[in-house]
Amino acid sequence: MRVRLSGQSVHNELVRRVEEYSGQDLMACYQCGKCAAGCPVAFAMDMLPSQVIRFVQLGLVDRLLDSKTIWLCAACQTCYTRCPKGVDLSRIMEALREIVMFEKGSYINYDAISPRDVMEWPQQAFIGGFRKYAV
Amino acid sequence: MKRIGIFVCHCGTNIAGTIDIARVIEEIQKFPEVVCALDYKYMCSDPGQQLIRDHIRDDKLDALIVAACSPAMHETTFRKTAATAGVNPYQTEIANIREQSSWVHQKQREAATNKAIETIRTIVAKVHYNQSLVPFYLPLVKRALVIGGGIAGMQAALDIADAGYPVVLVEQSSGLGGRMGQLSGIYLNFEAAPDLLSQTIEAVTHHPNIQVLTNAEVTQVGGYVGNFTVHVEQRTPEPPEPASATGVVPGNPVSYSFDIGAIVVATGYDLYRKERLGEYGGGRYPDVIDGLQFEAMLRRDGPTGGLIRRPSDGRIPKEVVWVQCAGSRDPELHMPYCSKVCCMYVAKQAMLYKRQVPEGQATVFYIDIRSQGKGYEEFVQRAMTEHDVLYVRGKASKVFQEDGRVKVWGVDTLTGLPVEVEADLVVLATATVARSDAQELGQRLRISMDEHGFFNEAHPKLRPVESLTAGVFLAGAAQFPKDIPETVAQASAAASKVLSLFSQRQMVQEPTIAYVDPEICSGCGLCIPACPYEARTMHEWRHIAVVNAALCQGCGACTVVCPNKACQVRNLTPVQILAMMEAYL
């Protein structure tokens, strides 16, 4: 399907929300791909991190909400550390997760996690989990 | 009897590594008229040259042979050495025993040594007949012709005129300013081009050393560097009203003839005709325009008074698409090269559009962004971040009209998604091409052009403002697409080349060129078409061939066709060539 681009379509409500939640200048990204090249979890993603931001630039946020990529992002910020334009992609990922959770609710049920798991899981996993799954 | 000294160079191991130098010295000492024969590690070094000078003095040499590398490398060096020691430089010859002996026979020591000896033997035979020559001094007209009254031509004219030399500036159209005069606000600071130009036009028009001829064309160019004869025809301007109404009848063109020393070609560029871009609907749809048409729209004195309007219905366009590389970087169908200025002016136009129509959408289809220049990259980035211009990476493939709008089909190669924009206005950044009349002018000036019609520079890196014809210099987009700062830089560079020529008192020409013996020449005229440099003419009333010393390059084509040896090249006469052959055989 041919995607119709227009002033309205590239500035839709979802794009505005990504911009607001992430606090990032979405148009600053010039698509060099360095984020995708260095991402430690890109191998498992269904869409490259750089493509995520490109979809937002094109106003195609709705196509991102079902993607696995936004949930695989570990918020490690390797991308942001290396980005030549200072775009914090992990915040954009976070914004997209927030939109999903606002729309569909949280996937995490903290009470269902056993105390043993809480003891054993690395702290990073908890922080990542909260960042990702908590409303 | 001559007193010849021979100096054999080792060139490190380049020559001595293959050739048996001791045997060479032993043999060449026996040649007639040879007074001394020596060898040295590097003859072109300071001690090497001093060795030559010492022997010129001690052995009272009046001719010398340096057996070394190609004459293209060091002939001038050793001729200067000879001159400083009081020997006429044209009594110095090179025997090439490196490129033509040691390098090509590296594994054949004996053969290479023999060849070196024989090479030197022939040169000894030649030097016997060498004449002492002095360079020609030719008059130099210190007046410049500048062709083209755009920013390039005006800048060159001003620089030359400010240095005190008269300049004739010939402009084809009715006014000065050229392509820059058609632009609106320019990148990077959006300064209005007409304001910027007005000062330059003012300075040119009122400069006491500049004669401006508008509506004029160079019709004929004769002569050579320092001594061109240029004919210019000026059309009488059209009367403002029909001739019948005013009673004014346009007269015949006015002809001028100028003696000119140097020429600057600054004839600028054309845009690739958008009609040739069928897939983009160029020329078919009124709302598909080119970059210069959009510039006209942005000008206060333009057809829309500076307002961006759709040509079809005058409405404010809410969706504007720019298509970059329209006809550029397309070796299959259009022009293979990058037109260089489009990336920058498209960013500028998109920004100016967004300033005027903030709620509008600006979309640019591109295949690469080329923003090489001080502040250029930052400028393009500002178009994206501050002016919200959407750049889509992918060349638009099709533009067509539907429901009163122009639809653009492209692809976003970054996501792999085919896209479509329903635009109100499409601006094609069409290729910058050579002017349609460039070829005609090039032939008149005898300067060469590349396959696209841009004038050729003498060397792409080291002589970028000179043409291959001495005394003709290049400035601006007539040589290749370039933007205003680059054009101004090249124009000033061309002017400085003109000034360095004009700073000489007279012109110096090598004397080793052809001459015609008037006693022998029968006036058959065969040498005239044989000369590749147009240096040969028939004398008006003596009916013999004469050589134009300024144009002759000493190639010898005339000596070959001349049936009775009236044509000869100085210090390369048939007598010398036969003597060399005899020595060798």
Side-chain angles (χ1 to χ4, degrees), chain A residues 2-7 11 27-28 30 51 54 58 60 63 85, chain B residues 319 361 381 384 388 391 409-410 412 414-415 417-420 422:
Chain A
R2 198 164 279 279
V3 176
R4 183 169 292 183
L5 297 179
S6 68
H11 295 105
M27 299 307 276
Y30 57 22
Q51 283 179 322
R54 185 63 189 160
L58 293 177
L60 304 172
R63 298 191 184 205
K85 295 296 297 287
Chain B
E319 292 275 347
Q361 173 65 27
Q381 293 301 320
M384 299 177 196
D388 199 30
Y391 275 75
W409 276 10
D412 179 69
L414 299 165
T415 52
L417 294 172
V419 298
E420 171 188 284
E422 265 187 35

PDB file of all heavy atoms in Angstrom, chain A residues 2-7 11 27-28 30 51 54 58 60 63 85, chain B residues 319 361 381 384 388 391 409-410 412 414-415 417-420 422:
ATOM      1  N   ARG A   2       0.507   2.156  -0.874  1.00  0.00           N
ATOM      2  CA  ARG A   2       1.222   3.426  -0.958  1.00  0.00           C
ATOM      3  C   ARG A   2       0.813   4.303   0.232  1.00  0.00           C
ATOM      4  O   ARG A   2      -0.376   4.481   0.493  1.00  0.00           O
ATOM      5  CB  ARG A   2       0.840   4.096  -2.271  1.00  0.00           C
ATOM      6  CG  ARG A   2       1.777   5.167  -2.718  1.00  0.00           C
ATOM      7  CD  ARG A   2       1.536   5.487  -4.172  1.00  0.00           C
ATOM      8  NE  ARG A   2       2.189   4.517  -5.044  1.00  0.00           N
ATOM      9  CZ  ARG A   2       3.485   4.561  -5.363  1.00  0.00           C
ATOM     10  NH1 ARG A   2       4.248   5.510  -4.881  1.00  0.00           N
ATOM     11  NH2 ARG A   2       4.004   3.658  -6.159  1.00  0.00           N
ATOM     12  N   VAL A   3       1.782   4.812   0.935  1.00  0.00           N
ATOM     13  CA  VAL A   3       1.501   5.654   2.098  1.00  0.00           C
ATOM     14  C   VAL A   3       1.280   7.088   1.640  1.00  0.00           C
ATOM     15  O   VAL A   3       2.107   7.635   0.908  1.00  0.00           O
ATOM     16  CB  VAL A   3       2.683   5.617   3.093  1.00  0.00           C
ATOM     17  CG1 VAL A   3       2.440   6.576   4.250  1.00  0.00           C
ATOM     18  CG2 VAL A   3       2.896   4.208   3.593  1.00  0.00           C
ATOM     19  N   ARG A   4       0.199   7.665   2.023  1.00  0.00           N
ATOM     20  CA  ARG A   4      -0.061   9.046   1.624  1.00  0.00           C
ATOM     21  C   ARG A   4       0.547  10.004   2.650  1.00  0.00           C
ATOM     22  O   ARG A   4       0.202   9.963   3.823  1.00  0.00           O
ATOM     23  CB  ARG A   4      -1.566   9.282   1.498  1.00  0.00           C
ATOM     24  CG  ARG A   4      -1.871  10.683   1.006  1.00  0.00           C
ATOM     25  CD  ARG A   4      -3.315  10.826   0.621  1.00  0.00           C
ATOM     26  NE  ARG A   4      -3.631  10.028  -0.562  1.00  0.00           N
ATOM     27  CZ  ARG A   4      -4.826  10.038  -1.140  1.00  0.00           C
ATOM     28  NH1 ARG A   4      -5.803  10.768  -0.636  1.00  0.00           N
ATOM     29  NH2 ARG A   4      -5.054   9.314  -2.210  1.00  0.00           N
ATOM     30  N   LEU A   5       1.456  10.813   2.203  1.00  0.00           N
ATOM     31  CA  LEU A   5       2.088  11.800   3.076  1.00  0.00           C
ATOM     32  C   LEU A   5       1.441  13.155   2.854  1.00  0.00           C
ATOM     33  O   LEU A   5       1.221  13.558   1.725  1.00  0.00           O
ATOM     34  CB  LEU A   5       3.584  11.921   2.766  1.00  0.00           C
ATOM     35  CG  LEU A   5       4.458  10.693   2.985  1.00  0.00           C
ATOM     36  CD1 LEU A   5       5.893  11.018   2.596  1.00  0.00           C
ATOM     37  CD2 LEU A   5       4.393  10.241   4.432  1.00  0.00           C
ATOM     38  N   SER A   6       1.138  13.834   3.947  1.00  0.00           N
ATOM     39  CA  SER A   6       0.620  15.203   3.823  1.00  0.00           C
ATOM     40  C   SER A   6       0.980  15.944   5.099  1.00  0.00           C
ATOM     41  O   SER A   6       1.393  15.331   6.088  1.00  0.00           O
ATOM     42  CB  SER A   6      -0.895  15.189   3.640  1.00  0.00           C
ATOM     43  OG  SER A   6      -1.514  14.746   4.837  1.00  0.00           O
ATOM     44  N   GLY A   7       0.792  17.232   5.078  1.00  0.00           N
ATOM     45  CA  GLY A   7       1.057  18.038   6.267  1.00  0.00           C
ATOM     46  C   GLY A   7       0.282  17.489   7.453  1.00  0.00           C
ATOM     47  O   GLY A   7       0.790  17.388   8.568  1.00  0.00           O
ATOM     48  N   HIS A  11       1.843  15.248  10.853  1.00  0.00           N
ATOM     49  CA  HIS A  11       1.741  15.976  12.117  1.00  0.00           C
ATOM     50  C   HIS A  11       0.521  15.510  12.915  1.00  0.00           C
ATOM     51  O   HIS A  11      -0.158  16.301  13.545  1.00  0.00           O
ATOM     52  CB  HIS A  11       1.658  17.483  11.861  1.00  0.00           C
ATOM     53  CG  HIS A  11       2.908  18.037  11.244  1.00  0.00           C
ATOM     54  ND1 HIS A  11       2.987  18.386   9.920  1.00  0.00           N
ATOM     55  CD2 HIS A  11       4.130  18.287  11.762  1.00  0.00           C
ATOM     56  CE1 HIS A  11       4.201  18.829   9.649  1.00  0.00           C
ATOM     57  NE2 HIS A  11       4.922  18.785  10.752  1.00  0.00           N
ATOM     58  N   MET A  27      12.618  15.704  14.166  1.00  0.00           N
ATOM     59  CA  MET A  27      13.173  16.016  12.855  1.00  0.00           C
ATOM     60  C   MET A  27      14.701  16.160  12.893  1.00  0.00           C
ATOM     61  O   MET A  27      15.331  16.282  11.855  1.00  0.00           O
ATOM     62  CB  MET A  27      12.545  17.288  12.287  1.00  0.00           C
ATOM     63  CG  MET A  27      11.048  17.191  12.085  1.00  0.00           C
ATOM     64  SD  MET A  27      10.560  15.756  11.097  1.00  0.00           S
ATOM     65  CE  MET A  27      10.797  16.420   9.450  1.00  0.00           C
ATOM     66  N   ALA A  28      15.271  16.152  14.112  1.00  0.00           N
ATOM     67  CA  ALA A  28      16.726  16.294  14.195  1.00  0.00           C
ATOM     68  C   ALA A  28      17.437  15.055  13.655  1.00  0.00           C
ATOM     69  O   ALA A  28      18.560  15.134  13.188  1.00  0.00           O
ATOM     70  CB  ALA A  28      17.152  16.551  15.638  1.00  0.00           C
ATOM     71  N   TYR A  30      18.801  12.506  11.293  1.00  0.00           N
ATOM     72  CA  TYR A  30      19.024  12.475   9.843  1.00  0.00           C
ATOM     73  C   TYR A  30      19.300  11.066   9.334  1.00  0.00           C
ATOM     74  O   TYR A  30      19.882  10.893   8.281  1.00  0.00           O
ATOM     75  CB  TYR A  30      20.061  13.497   9.396  1.00  0.00           C
ATOM     76  CG  TYR A  30      21.456  13.431  10.019  1.00  0.00           C
ATOM     77  CD1 TYR A  30      21.939  12.269  10.591  1.00  0.00           C
ATOM     78  CD2 TYR A  30      22.270  14.545   9.982  1.00  0.00           C
ATOM     79  CE1 TYR A  30      23.209  12.216  11.133  1.00  0.00           C
ATOM     80  CE2 TYR A  30      23.557  14.506  10.515  1.00  0.00           C
ATOM     81  CZ  TYR A  30      24.017  13.340  11.094  1.00  0.00           C
ATOM     82  OH  TYR A  30      25.279  13.292  11.615  1.00  0.00           O
ATOM     83  N   GLN A  51      14.736   2.858  12.241  1.00  0.00           N
ATOM     84  CA  GLN A  51      13.480   2.856  11.485  1.00  0.00           C
ATOM     85  C   GLN A  51      12.307   3.298  12.349  1.00  0.00           C
ATOM     86  O   GLN A  51      11.354   3.886  11.856  1.00  0.00           O
ATOM     87  CB  GLN A  51      13.222   1.466  10.902  1.00  0.00           C
ATOM     88  CG  GLN A  51      14.104   1.207   9.679  1.00  0.00           C
ATOM     89  CD  GLN A  51      13.887  -0.181   9.104  1.00  0.00           C
ATOM     90  OE1 GLN A  51      13.707  -1.135   9.863  1.00  0.00           O
ATOM     91  NE2 GLN A  51      13.903  -0.285   7.793  1.00  0.00           N
ATOM     92  N   ARG A  54      12.208   6.885  12.071  1.00  0.00           N
ATOM     93  CA  ARG A  54      11.793   7.275  10.721  1.00  0.00           C
ATOM     94  C   ARG A  54      10.274   7.155  10.563  1.00  0.00           C
ATOM     95  O   ARG A  54       9.640   8.002   9.962  1.00  0.00           O
ATOM     96  CB  ARG A  54      12.509   6.404   9.687  1.00  0.00           C
ATOM     97  CG  ARG A  54      12.232   6.799   8.239  1.00  0.00           C
ATOM     98  CD  ARG A  54      12.723   8.197   7.935  1.00  0.00           C
ATOM     99  NE  ARG A  54      12.296   8.689   6.628  1.00  0.00           N
ATOM    100  CZ  ARG A  54      12.253   9.968   6.288  1.00  0.00           C
ATOM    101  NH1 ARG A  54      12.598  10.899   7.153  1.00  0.00           N
ATOM    102  NH2 ARG A  54      11.867  10.337   5.097  1.00  0.00           N
ATOM    103  N   LEU A  58       7.576  10.099   9.595  1.00  0.00           N
ATOM    104  CA  LEU A  58       6.611  10.011   8.495  1.00  0.00           C
ATOM    105  C   LEU A  58       5.165  10.015   8.992  1.00  0.00           C
ATOM    106  O   LEU A  58       4.232   9.870   8.215  1.00  0.00           O
ATOM    107  CB  LEU A  58       6.868   8.751   7.662  1.00  0.00           C
ATOM    108  CG  LEU A  58       8.189   8.715   6.874  1.00  0.00           C
ATOM    109  CD1 LEU A  58       8.337   7.379   6.157  1.00  0.00           C
ATOM    110  CD2 LEU A  58       8.267   9.854   5.859  1.00  0.00           C
ATOM    111  N   LEU A  60       3.810   7.730  10.975  1.00  0.00           N
ATOM    112  CA  LEU A  60       3.266   6.371  10.955  1.00  0.00           C
ATOM    113  C   LEU A  60       3.413   5.702  12.324  1.00  0.00           C
ATOM    114  O   LEU A  60       3.788   4.536  12.433  1.00  0.00           O
ATOM    115  CB  LEU A  60       3.971   5.548   9.872  1.00  0.00           C
ATOM    116  CG  LEU A  60       3.900   6.145   8.461  1.00  0.00           C
ATOM    117  CD1 LEU A  60       4.782   5.378   7.493  1.00  0.00           C
ATOM    118  CD2 LEU A  60       2.457   6.174   7.961  1.00  0.00           C
ATOM    119  N   ARG A  63       1.872   2.251  13.193  1.00  0.00           N
ATOM    120  CA  ARG A  63       2.531   1.025  12.747  1.00  0.00           C
ATOM    121  C   ARG A  63       3.574   0.536  13.763  1.00  0.00           C
ATOM    122  O   ARG A  63       4.086  -0.571  13.629  1.00  0.00           O
ATOM    123  CB  ARG A  63       3.229   1.231  11.412  1.00  0.00           C
ATOM    124  CG  ARG A  63       2.270   1.588  10.298  1.00  0.00           C
ATOM    125  CD  ARG A  63       2.958   1.531   8.966  1.00  0.00           C
ATOM    126  NE  ARG A  63       2.033   1.968   7.924  1.00  0.00           N
ATOM    127  CZ  ARG A  63       2.126   1.603   6.658  1.00  0.00           C
ATOM    128  NH1 ARG A  63       3.100   0.815   6.277  1.00  0.00           N
ATOM    129  NH2 ARG A  63       1.255   2.040   5.776  1.00  0.00           N
ATOM    130  N   LYS A  85      23.437  13.516  16.633  1.00  0.00           N
ATOM    131  CA  LYS A  85      22.534  14.653  16.690  1.00  0.00           C
ATOM    132  C   LYS A  85      21.911  14.810  18.081  1.00  0.00           C
ATOM    133  O   LYS A  85      21.020  15.632  18.276  1.00  0.00           O
ATOM    134  CB  LYS A  85      21.415  14.507  15.631  1.00  0.00           C
ATOM    135  CG  LYS A  85      21.907  14.538  14.194  1.00  0.00           C
ATOM    136  CD  LYS A  85      22.549  15.865  13.764  1.00  0.00           C
ATOM    137  CE  LYS A  85      21.659  17.069  13.785  1.00  0.00           C
ATOM    138  NZ  LYS A  85      20.670  17.111  12.707  1.00  0.00           N
TER     139      LYS A  85
ATOM    140  N   GLU B 319       0.523  22.208   0.018  1.00  0.00           N
ATOM    141  CA  GLU B 319       1.464  21.081  -0.032  1.00  0.00           C
ATOM    142  C   GLU B 319       2.418  21.343  -1.185  1.00  0.00           C
ATOM    143  O   GLU B 319       1.998  21.402  -2.340  1.00  0.00           O
ATOM    144  CB  GLU B 319       0.733  19.758  -0.296  1.00  0.00           C
ATOM    145  CG  GLU B 319      -0.166  19.276   0.837  1.00  0.00           C
ATOM    146  CD  GLU B 319       0.593  18.476   1.889  1.00  0.00           C
ATOM    147  OE1 GLU B 319       1.746  18.079   1.624  1.00  0.00           O
ATOM    148  OE2 GLU B 319       0.029  18.260   2.984  1.00  0.00           O
ATOM    149  N   GLN B 361       2.896  22.349   4.117  1.00  0.00           N
ATOM    150  CA  GLN B 361       3.819  21.227   4.256  1.00  0.00           C
ATOM    151  C   GLN B 361       4.834  21.257   3.113  1.00  0.00           C
ATOM    152  O   GLN B 361       4.453  21.325   1.947  1.00  0.00           O
ATOM    153  CB  GLN B 361       3.037  19.904   4.248  1.00  0.00           C
ATOM    154  CG  GLN B 361       3.904  18.648   4.227  1.00  0.00           C
ATOM    155  CD  GLN B 361       4.737  18.477   5.501  1.00  0.00           C
ATOM    156  OE1 GLN B 361       4.351  18.959   6.571  1.00  0.00           O
ATOM    157  NE2 GLN B 361       5.880  17.819   5.379  1.00  0.00           N
ATOM    158  N   GLN B 381      20.285  21.308   7.865  1.00  0.00           N
ATOM    159  CA  GLN B 381      19.724  20.736   9.087  1.00  0.00           C
ATOM    160  C   GLN B 381      18.673  21.662   9.690  1.00  0.00           C
ATOM    161  O   GLN B 381      17.679  21.208  10.254  1.00  0.00           O
ATOM    162  CB  GLN B 381      20.835  20.456  10.115  1.00  0.00           C
ATOM    163  CG  GLN B 381      21.807  19.350   9.685  1.00  0.00           C
ATOM    164  CD  GLN B 381      21.118  18.017   9.443  1.00  0.00           C
ATOM    165  OE1 GLN B 381      20.222  17.631  10.185  1.00  0.00           O
ATOM    166  NE2 GLN B 381      21.493  17.330   8.383  1.00  0.00           N
ATOM    167  N   MET B 384      15.319  21.202   8.265  1.00  0.00           N
ATOM    168  CA  MET B 384      14.602  20.050   8.816  1.00  0.00           C
ATOM    169  C   MET B 384      14.083  20.332  10.224  1.00  0.00           C
ATOM    170  O   MET B 384      12.922  20.059  10.516  1.00  0.00           O
ATOM    171  CB  MET B 384      15.529  18.832   8.856  1.00  0.00           C
ATOM    172  CG  MET B 384      16.026  18.400   7.484  1.00  0.00           C
ATOM    173  SD  MET B 384      17.185  17.013   7.644  1.00  0.00           S
ATOM    174  CE  MET B 384      17.946  17.025   6.035  1.00  0.00           C
ATOM    175  N   ASP B 388      10.801  22.430   9.779  1.00  0.00           N
ATOM    176  CA  ASP B 388       9.916  21.283   9.670  1.00  0.00           C
ATOM    177  C   ASP B 388       9.750  20.794   8.231  1.00  0.00           C
ATOM    178  O   ASP B 388       8.677  20.362   7.822  1.00  0.00           O
ATOM    179  CB  ASP B 388       8.544  21.665  10.260  1.00  0.00           C
ATOM    180  CG  ASP B 388       7.730  20.436  10.603  1.00  0.00           C
ATOM    181  OD1 ASP B 388       8.347  19.408  10.933  1.00  0.00           O
ATOM    182  OD2 ASP B 388       6.490  20.517  10.511  1.00  0.00           O
ATOM    183  N   TYR B 391      12.184  15.652   4.633  1.00  0.00           N
ATOM    184  CA  TYR B 391      13.057  15.112   3.591  1.00  0.00           C
ATOM    185  C   TYR B 391      12.769  13.630   3.430  1.00  0.00           C
ATOM    186  O   TYR B 391      12.804  12.881   4.411  1.00  0.00           O
ATOM    187  CB  TYR B 391      14.527  15.334   3.962  1.00  0.00           C
ATOM    188  CG  TYR B 391      15.036  16.704   3.556  1.00  0.00           C
ATOM    189  CD1 TYR B 391      14.677  17.837   4.272  1.00  0.00           C
ATOM    190  CD2 TYR B 391      15.852  16.860   2.442  1.00  0.00           C
ATOM    191  CE1 TYR B 391      15.128  19.094   3.891  1.00  0.00           C
ATOM    192  CE2 TYR B 391      16.309  18.108   2.053  1.00  0.00           C
ATOM    193  CZ  TYR B 391      15.944  19.223   2.777  1.00  0.00           C
ATOM    194  OH  TYR B 391      16.397  20.453   2.385  1.00  0.00           O
ATOM    195  N   TRP B 409       4.646  10.436  -6.795  1.00  0.00           N
ATOM    196  CA  TRP B 409       4.927   9.092  -6.291  1.00  0.00           C
ATOM    197  C   TRP B 409       6.423   8.939  -6.054  1.00  0.00           C
ATOM    198  O   TRP B 409       7.235   9.249  -6.923  1.00  0.00           O
ATOM    199  CB  TRP B 409       4.478   8.031  -7.307  1.00  0.00           C
ATOM    200  CG  TRP B 409       3.017   7.686  -7.197  1.00  0.00           C
ATOM    201  CD1 TRP B 409       2.094   8.347  -6.457  1.00  0.00           C
ATOM    202  CD2 TRP B 409       2.350   6.617  -7.858  1.00  0.00           C
ATOM    203  NE1 TRP B 409       0.867   7.759  -6.599  1.00  0.00           N
ATOM    204  CE2 TRP B 409       0.992   6.691  -7.463  1.00  0.00           C
ATOM    205  CE3 TRP B 409       2.745   5.607  -8.731  1.00  0.00           C
ATOM    206  CZ2 TRP B 409       0.032   5.778  -7.924  1.00  0.00           C
ATOM    207  CZ3 TRP B 409       1.792   4.703  -9.190  1.00  0.00           C
ATOM    208  CH2 TRP B 409       0.453   4.788  -8.780  1.00  0.00           C
ATOM    209  N   GLY B 410       6.731   8.446  -4.862  1.00  0.00           N
ATOM    210  CA  GLY B 410       8.131   8.193  -4.548  1.00  0.00           C
ATOM    211  C   GLY B 410       8.211   7.022  -3.605  1.00  0.00           C
ATOM    212  O   GLY B 410       7.231   6.305  -3.397  1.00  0.00           O
ATOM    213  N   ASP B 412      10.081   5.946   0.296  1.00  0.00           N
ATOM    214  CA  ASP B 412      10.972   6.280   1.398  1.00  0.00           C
ATOM    215  C   ASP B 412      11.883   5.072   1.594  1.00  0.00           C
ATOM    216  O   ASP B 412      11.477   4.072   2.188  1.00  0.00           O
ATOM    217  CB  ASP B 412      10.162   6.573   2.670  1.00  0.00           C
ATOM    218  CG  ASP B 412      11.080   6.898   3.839  1.00  0.00           C
ATOM    219  OD1 ASP B 412      11.712   7.955   3.807  1.00  0.00           O
ATOM    220  OD2 ASP B 412      11.181   6.061   4.757  1.00  0.00           O
ATOM    221  N   LEU B 414      14.237   4.594   3.451  1.00  0.00           N
ATOM    222  CA  LEU B 414      14.670   4.355   4.828  1.00  0.00           C
ATOM    223  C   LEU B 414      13.731   3.398   5.538  1.00  0.00           C
ATOM    224  O   LEU B 414      14.115   2.685   6.455  1.00  0.00           O
ATOM    225  CB  LEU B 414      14.762   5.677   5.581  1.00  0.00           C
ATOM    226  CG  LEU B 414      15.770   6.661   4.976  1.00  0.00           C
ATOM    227  CD1 LEU B 414      15.560   8.049   5.528  1.00  0.00           C
ATOM    228  CD2 LEU B 414      17.183   6.198   5.226  1.00  0.00           C
ATOM    229  N   THR B 415      12.461   3.392   5.106  1.00  0.00           N
ATOM    230  CA  THR B 415      11.523   2.431   5.683  1.00  0.00           C
ATOM    231  C   THR B 415      11.149   1.372   4.664  1.00  0.00           C
ATOM    232  O   THR B 415      10.578   0.346   5.011  1.00  0.00           O
ATOM    233  CB  THR B 415      10.215   3.136   6.112  1.00  0.00           C
ATOM    234  OG1 THR B 415       9.723   3.895   5.000  1.00  0.00           O
ATOM    235  CG2 THR B 415      10.438   4.062   7.285  1.00  0.00           C
ATOM    236  N   LEU B 417       8.971   2.047   2.305  1.00  0.00           N
ATOM    237  CA  LEU B 417       7.555   2.245   2.002  1.00  0.00           C
ATOM    238  C   LEU B 417       7.357   3.136   0.776  1.00  0.00           C
ATOM    239  O   LEU B 417       7.934   4.222   0.705  1.00  0.00           O
ATOM    240  CB  LEU B 417       6.849   2.905   3.189  1.00  0.00           C
ATOM    241  CG  LEU B 417       6.757   2.100   4.479  1.00  0.00           C
ATOM    242  CD1 LEU B 417       6.207   2.980   5.594  1.00  0.00           C
ATOM    243  CD2 LEU B 417       5.877   0.876   4.280  1.00  0.00           C
ATOM    244  N   PRO B 418       6.540   2.695  -0.162  1.00  0.00           N
ATOM    245  CA  PRO B 418       6.177   3.587  -1.266  1.00  0.00           C
ATOM    246  C   PRO B 418       5.284   4.709  -0.721  1.00  0.00           C
ATOM    247  O   PRO B 418       4.421   4.454   0.116  1.00  0.00           O
ATOM    248  CB  PRO B 418       5.383   2.695  -2.221  1.00  0.00           C
ATOM    249  CG  PRO B 418       5.514   1.306  -1.702  1.00  0.00           C
ATOM    250  CD  PRO B 418       5.875   1.395  -0.252  1.00  0.00           C
ATOM    251  N   VAL B 419       5.523   5.935  -1.152  1.00  0.00           N
ATOM    252  CA  VAL B 419       4.743   7.052  -0.627  1.00  0.00           C
ATOM    253  C   VAL B 419       4.130   7.855  -1.763  1.00  0.00           C
ATOM    254  O   VAL B 419       4.550   7.769  -2.919  1.00  0.00           O
ATOM    255  CB  VAL B 419       5.593   7.987   0.266  1.00  0.00           C
ATOM    256  CG1 VAL B 419       6.115   7.256   1.480  1.00  0.00           C
ATOM    257  CG2 VAL B 419       6.735   8.605  -0.518  1.00  0.00           C
ATOM    258  N   GLU B 420       3.151   8.646  -1.388  1.00  0.00           N
ATOM    259  CA  GLU B 420       2.455   9.478  -2.359  1.00  0.00           C
ATOM    260  C   GLU B 420       2.146  10.812  -1.689  1.00  0.00           C
ATOM    261  O   GLU B 420       1.756  10.850  -0.530  1.00  0.00           O
ATOM    262  CB  GLU B 420       1.146   8.782  -2.757  1.00  0.00           C
ATOM    263  CG  GLU B 420       0.226   9.623  -3.597  1.00  0.00           C
ATOM    264  CD  GLU B 420      -1.127   8.927  -3.784  1.00  0.00           C
ATOM    265  OE1 GLU B 420      -1.192   7.987  -4.591  1.00  0.00           O
ATOM    266  OE2 GLU B 420      -2.091   9.323  -3.101  1.00  0.00           O
ATOM    267  N   GLU B 422      -0.071  14.304  -2.328  1.00  0.00           N
ATOM    268  CA  GLU B 422      -0.997  15.065  -3.170  1.00  0.00           C
ATOM    269  C   GLU B 422      -0.605  16.525  -3.055  1.00  0.00           C
ATOM    270  O   GLU B 422      -0.960  17.198  -2.088  1.00  0.00           O
ATOM    271  CB  GLU B 422      -2.428  14.887  -2.664  1.00  0.00           C
ATOM    272  CG  GLU B 422      -3.177  13.804  -3.360  1.00  0.00           C
ATOM    273  CD  GLU B 422      -4.636  13.772  -2.963  1.00  0.00           C
ATOM    274  OE1 GLU B 422      -5.214  14.852  -2.717  1.00  0.00           O
ATOM    275  OE2 GLU B 422      -5.188  12.666  -2.888  1.00  0.00           O
TER     276      GLU B 422
END
